[in-house]
Amino acid sequence: MSDYIFYPGCSMESSAKAYYDSVMAVSKPLGISLKEIDDWNCCGATEYLSLDRMPAYSLIARNLALAERQAADTRTVVAPCSACYLNLSKTDHYMGEDKAFGEKINEALAAGGLHYSPGELVVRHLLDVVLNDVGLDAVKAKVVRPLTGLRVVPYVGCMLPRPDYGKRYSDTERPTELDDLMRALGAEVVDFPLKTACCGGHMTQIGPDTAFELIRRLVSSAVGCKADVMVALCPMCQMNLDAFQSQMNGHFHADYRMPVLFFTQLMGLAFGEKPEKLGFGSEFVSAREAMSRIGVATPQPVVEGAAARPRKAAGLPMPPPRVTARQSTGKD
Amino acid sequence: MSPDRKPQERVGVYVCHCGSNIAGVVDVADVGEWAGKELEPHGVVVARDYKFMCSSLGQELIAKDIKEQGLTRVVVAACSPHLHEPTFRTACSRAGLNPYLFEMANIREQDSWVTTDKLEATKKAKALIAAAVGRVVHQQPLESLFVPVDPNVLVVGGGVTGIQAALEIANSGRHVYLVEREPSIGGHMAQFDKTFPTLDCSACILTPKMFDAGNHKNITMLTWSEVEKVEGHIGNFTVTIRKRARYIDESLCTGCGVCWEKCPKKVVDQVFEAGLGFRKAVYTPFPQAVPKYPVIDRENCTYFQKGTCKACETYCPAGAIKFDQQDEHLTAKVGNIILATGYDLFDSRKITNYGYGRLANVFSSLEFERMTNAAGPTMGRVVLRDGVTQPKSVAVIHCVGSRDKNYHNYCSAVCCMQSLKSAHLIKEKTGGDVYQFYIDMRTPAKTYDEFYQRIIREGVNMVRGKVAEITDTALEPGEEGKLVVQVEDTLIGRQRRIPVDMVVLSAGLEARHDAKEVAQRFGISCSADEWFIERHPKLDPVATMTDGVFVAGACQGPKDIPSSVAQGAAAAARVLSIIGQGQIEIEAATAIVDEVSCVGCKQCVPSCPYRAIEYLAVEGRAHVVEALCKGCGTCVGTCLSKSISLKHFTDDQIVAEVVGAMRVMKSFETTAVA
Amino acid sequence: MLTQEVAMRTPGQSNIEMCIQCGTCGGSCPSGSAMDHTPRAVFALMRAGMRDAVLKSNMPWMCVSCYCCTVRCPQDIHITDVMYTLKNMALEAGTIQDEIASDFSKAFIRYVENYGRSFEIGLAGIHSLTHMRLAARLPNMVPMAIRMLTKKGMLPLPPKRIKGIDDLKKILKRAKSMEAA
């Protein structure tokens, strides 16, 4: 079992309980032991940064300081929420890059008896740990119920691949990590054009017109690709697409019905866990019908969605696919 | 003997005012007087100050004193030797004094220009002059080495630049080796359709030059060849060239083309057709290829890979197919080398948000050139990737991979004009809507801006905004089945989504993928962006820091055809000037090995950055090749037995210089000497 | 100089002065159509020293922090981080035209400062009630709220306080007292 320091984030205890349950359920088969930071606080999402810079970064840094203090066998902090992950890694990054800024933050932390040395910890998203530490081979080995025939949209969102301070991901616009993971679970992955298009974030509360348009384009594109389900890796994305789907439908007089799950829920299913333990049933747009499809014996007919159409041999040749050596570090 | 006492020398000291550059800070009159008095025991017999020593009157002063006062050494205290050391050395030698018996004290860049306190500056000037006087009496007369220049020239790269350079030299009666990596000369220009700003057909203006170069009695054209090794120095290079096996006997081949007609193996031509068209395993890149002989691409030839087929051999009426042909190695002796290796196109697949390589109807600029070219894969028709459908609307995008810190920070110079040209061709051939997306419109040269105005008049839509994204995801009615260009139209300050059928990316120019290796092979340097570095960007753009090696064309930096041709001719002129002189003067301050004390440890050999030291195995010692030596002194420091010394920078001279300065400094109790 | 002031208040090297006005940011922004000025236009206003126009713009408040602009910017400007700075400055200057966004953030933070955790459930509803425009959407939100409570098993009670809430308050107080730059 590999140890990791765990930063759950506020949503995991409320709106994203399904994410929390499924993360806990898959951690054992994945061989990762998540030690929650004792007495962690909210990272402030994008809200505090909008109001006042210094307390915002100090709020986030308190978690890093606590983690540093509590770190025993590992220096890695895992956050399953993209916004929390970005906030923690951004704070660590700027405290290291801008020495004067880092000193000021530590001055604020000192008022609470804390200190953080930038660079002491490595902050990573859960997806990164699954792919790069556990590895796809180990994941495949744990699959007892492959998700064959399930057409999955790998929705990565914004804050995971961008701005990518640690250069951990394959691309800032169309990263392949989540695709590869879903494929390892046996699912059929849709070549989704809006993989990293924004879900609207907190615009549902501030500018609903904008938010609903962003949600609509994602959902309608998934429907257009004849996907069965979308998977997300951030509680905000999942909530926007799932919980707000009916409001979006109302706004546009549409009738989309696209279930949106957390990637760990599908992982858990593939590992043979019971759906109830993985938070199934708590989603707004029911995933029951989509899941029933993979329990069915008759093969799912291959539907030619817009993304799956094979290129015809006639016509002019296309440029060859680009092969890059870039993994976690460095550009190619 | 104490290092600074050589009273038999007669030293003249000249302190320059340099207008107010020096005199405004340093009390030059005082310094001159002081030198005449205080340095008299150290050999100074005459000391003057003068307004501009570099002027002819100033130089005459020196010449007069050499003759009338019998000076045996001269010191000028003025600006940096980088500027006027050659001036004063020449003045001395014209007056009969060996130029290496001259020394310069820099009391401008190292004194008056960096010191604000006049008293301190004057003291420092005196110290610097005392140092120079101390040194100069230890200097020895040296003679420059003259190296004969082999009149043959090597031109590497057979694009328009290399062709131009080769023709200029060949027409003067000199012999040129023109080495080209591809099966035919012509380079990128042979791929283009029409060229800006005149809209001349590229092949039409290039092929006559290609033909001339290919048939010139003074040009040995070696295509499908590469330079493997370069040894030697200016005037005397030995170059090893690998002439790759074409598997075609050139003495028998008539260029009839039956072989490639019959060849069953078709591959995508990634080079000449930019990946948009096909060729066979045995091929010439294009119909007007020079030379006309095809080559067999081993990696794709069924015979070489599997042992079967041989259709070309079967059908060749001249029996020219020779599968057992081997690569040849030639050794060429040349006196000068011109590198004209050109550029590569930026790989637009790197910009994920533009979709090149994923979205079928996004094309690169070179793909588009092949498309509109009448001899290209679509016979000149502008069509979508299906090869059939004509687009009704096309977007042309500037600055793809250029002016962008995520890819290349520089501007690629040609893309604005190329984009305008593409827009013109698209409009002409399809009559549809054409959009140009740009940040700035760069059209500086002769008739370039008039070309821009012409394109505006033709009704091309100019949108000022760097394209953010090209997507096939329809969000609004009218976008289904189209490519949507999402951009901020900065002149109206609004985001726009413009649906088009086709997109052409004006990709930037980048250095060849092997530029660094090539630079190393020829002993020159690359910049951080891997363009070859010129000796001086304004005053000497075709020479390099390596004597005898010149660069011309796009390999030195992105540029258009007129500039490339001009540089090719410029490099040729420089080379002809060297050949015309018949010999090269090598700076005499070179290292020299003491044959007796050298123990043959060979430490110095790899230490030399110019590869100027060779180890003589028979004699068991090192030897400096003077023509290559730049006098940097690295070997002197490396030698464990102190057997290498540097002429004009001997230990005696340097110690005397330091002692001279220190002595004066001590007398003033000042602390700083540059 | 306004540009310098904004740069100093943004951590790290934000490169604002390097803007070549290419428009990639404005072109990439998913909420671009809701903004009165595009990000690029605001940089131009900043250059021109038009402080009032910059701080009154709704543009930074529409930012969703998707970082598309930041990764695509050819001059490597940390645009998203600059957005946060502009929001901070607008609040200080008291020039915000439409307070929906800042009110939401303030309401969010009120819980964090008192409990150490955020309180999503009640927040959205309360926020909507205090802004009449959004109140019109309340009927739509009621079913969602009910489902949240029943399906997700969440009660509309404020979160548990963290143990170190006093220390957190001290940290935040210290941080707030620091000069912004």
Side-chain angles (χ1 to χ4, degrees), chain A residues 32 35 98 179 184:
Chain A
I32 61 181
K35 293 199 157 53
D98 187 341
D179 300 45

mmCIF file of all heavy atoms in Angstrom, chain A residues 32 35 98 179 184:
data_model
loop_
_atom_site.group_PDB
_atom_site.id
_atom_site.type_symbol
_atom_site.label_atom_id
_atom_site.label_comp_id
_atom_site.label_asym_id
_atom_site.label_seq_id
_atom_site.Cartn_x
_atom_site.Cartn_y
_atom_site.Cartn_z
ATOM 1 N N ILE A 32 -3.667 2.249 -2.732
ATOM 2 C CA ILE A 32 -3.278 3.545 -2.192
ATOM 3 C C ILE A 32 -4.000 3.796 -0.872
ATOM 4 O O ILE A 32 -5.177 3.503 -0.717
ATOM 5 C CB ILE A 32 -3.550 4.690 -3.189
ATOM 6 C CG1 ILE A 32 -5.030 4.817 -3.531
ATOM 7 C CG2 ILE A 32 -2.739 4.510 -4.450
ATOM 8 C CD1 ILE A 32 -5.290 5.928 -4.526
ATOM 9 N N LYS A 35 -4.381 9.289 3.668
ATOM 10 C CA LYS A 35 -4.440 9.801 5.039
ATOM 11 C C LYS A 35 -4.919 11.251 4.981
ATOM 12 O O LYS A 35 -4.189 12.149 4.560
ATOM 13 C CB LYS A 35 -3.050 9.736 5.670
ATOM 14 C CG LYS A 35 -2.557 8.315 5.875
ATOM 15 C CD LYS A 35 -1.421 8.265 6.885
ATOM 16 C CE LYS A 35 -1.264 6.912 7.533
ATOM 17 N NZ LYS A 35 -1.153 5.795 6.603
ATOM 18 N N ASP A 98 7.991 33.220 -6.370
ATOM 19 C CA ASP A 98 8.037 34.623 -5.972
ATOM 20 C C ASP A 98 8.399 34.660 -4.488
ATOM 21 O O ASP A 98 7.525 34.549 -3.631
ATOM 22 C CB ASP A 98 6.648 35.241 -6.234
ATOM 23 C CG ASP A 98 6.623 36.749 -6.009
ATOM 24 O OD1 ASP A 98 7.529 37.284 -5.324
ATOM 25 O OD2 ASP A 98 5.682 37.390 -6.505
ATOM 26 N N ASP A 179 -9.003 9.244 -21.043
ATOM 27 C CA ASP A 179 -9.367 8.295 -22.119
ATOM 28 C C ASP A 179 -8.700 6.948 -21.855
ATOM 29 O O ASP A 179 -9.327 5.893 -21.926
ATOM 30 C CB ASP A 179 -8.849 8.780 -23.486
ATOM 31 C CG ASP A 179 -9.411 10.118 -23.896
ATOM 32 O OD1 ASP A 179 -9.441 11.025 -23.045
ATOM 33 O OD2 ASP A 179 -9.816 10.269 -25.053
ATOM 34 N N ALA A 184 -8.817 1.284 -20.199
ATOM 35 C CA ALA A 184 -8.266 0.197 -19.383
ATOM 36 C C ALA A 184 -9.365 -0.526 -18.619
ATOM 37 O O ALA A 184 -9.215 -1.687 -18.251
ATOM 38 C CB ALA A 184 -7.229 0.758 -18.411
#
